[in-house]
Amino acid sequence: YANLPPSKQEEVEKLLGSSAEETWRQLAGELGYKEDLIDSFTREESPARALLADWSSKETATLDALLAALRKIQRGDIAESLYSESTATSPV
């Protein structure tokens, strides 16, 4: 994830943070985060960014792992946007 262009990272963070059901929380759970740590991300200005920054520092943080986790939480749309080469942002 850390190797992605900043525009891609921003796009993913926006998509994760923009949904009413707090998709980033579901993603955090899928990536193996415990509730208390997930709660600590909510104090950040951008919880999705805080989560992904923390996760991307781990050895297990691969793009494939992120894509798989996104698909598991029914957010294939975010996985697709990550996967696509275009930097077009979809209106939310």
Side-chain angles (χ1 to χ4, degrees):
Y1 177 78
N3 297 336
L4 288 172
S7 61
K8 264 297 173 222
Q9 292 182 14
E10 263 176 52
E11 188 178 334
V12 172
E13 289 157 11
K14 245 189 223 124
L15 288 166
L16 282 170
S18 65
S19 53
E21 70 277 7
E22 294 195 302
T23 306
W24 71 267
R25 273 183 170 275
Q26 293 174 286
L27 180 62
E30 194 57 54
L31 293 173
Y33 282 86
K34 301 276 181 275
E35 199 60 46
D36 55 344
L37 191 54
I38 294 172
D39 285 341
S40 75
F41 293 135
T42 62
R43 291 191 282 278
E44 301 293 330
E45 187 182 332
S46 170
R49 178 177 298 144
L51 163 67
L52 291 169
D54 185 81
W55 179 75
S56 64
S57 68
K58 298 181 186 320
E59 280 181 34
T60 54
T62 64
L63 194 52
D64 285 343
L66 182 58
L67 294 173
L70 285 166
R71 290 193 180 99
K72 273 192 193 156
I73 62 167
Q74 312 298 310
R75 289 309 304 258
D77 58 323
I78 299 176
E80 290 310 309
S81 101
L82 253 180
Y83 209 68
S84 73
E85 285 305 305
S86 91
T87 49
T89 52
S90 58
V92 184

